[in-house]
Amino acid sequence: MDLDAGQLPDLAALRDRFRPEAASIPRVAVKLAPLDVYDELACVSVMSGRSNLGEAA
């Protein structure tokens, strides 16, 4: 050991020893929806935000 011999450790050797392993980046395929689908969503009616929970009795 360098420390036992009274020497400082070699920084380049330490970087090589403890460097994270190179990881490959996964390939991601994104499929976009056709824009006319959003037109169909705009035609959907919105339900009232009111709840029937208070009217149970």
Side-chain angles (χ1 to χ4, degrees), residues 2-4 6-9 13-14 18 21 30 41-42 47-48 50-51:
D2 290 336
L3 294 178
D4 292 337
Q7 300 175 353
L8 293 175
L14 289 173
F18 295 106
E21 293 183 23
V30 177
L41 289 174
M47 295 180 60
S48 170
R50 294 172 50 196
S51 171

Side-chain angles (χ1 to χ4, degrees), residues 11-29:
L11 287 179
L14 289 173
R15 282 189 195 106
D16 287 339
R17 181 176 178 185
F18 295 106
R19 171 185 14 213
E21 293 183 23
S24 64
I25 299 173
R27 189 175 184 105
V28 177

